Amino acid sequence: LRTWVSPSLVGDGLIIFGQNGHAHIVASKREFREIGQAKLGEGGVFATPAFARVAGSPRMFVRTKKHLYCIGPPPSPAGDGSD
């Protein structure tokens, strides 16, 4: 796995984005165990992901060559006082 970005710890998993646009999620334990994979629809990730809360929901922002992705659960309904 070749990467340009720092790995990110999210919950019990470590997310590592490769130069090919694949995300590898591994358990943050002593022994290596891959939890899952995901692929963004284009080339590699060029910056370490950023994290923020948007409308009360946690989000991960991922920059690729052409796009900025916002990944996370749907925002809370408007007017519920969570933002």
Side-chain angles (χ1 to χ4, degrees):
L1 174 66
R2 296 186 70 187
T3 184
W4 287 302
V5 304
S6 299
S8 298
L9 183 63
V10 178
D12 291 333
L14 191 64
I15 301 175
I16 305 164
F17 285 97
Q19 291 178 353
N20 60 1
H22 283 91
H24 298 270
I25 303 101
V26 298
S28 58
K29 307 289 182 190
R30 284 188 170 272
E31 293 194 25
F32 179 84
R33 182 174 59 91
E34 188 169 54
I35 298 170
Q37 291 186 16
K39 172 136 176 70
L40 298 177
E42 58 185 89
V45 173
F46 293 91
T48 298
F51 297 87
R53 293 189 78 77
V54 177
S57 297
R59 301 302 173 104
M60 178 173 60
F61 296 89
V62 180
R63 178 78 180 137
T64 65
K65 186 173 182 178
K66 295 181 181 180
H67 296 95
L68 175 64
Y69 291 92
C70 177
I71 301 168
S76 301
D80 70 357
S82 65
D83 47 342

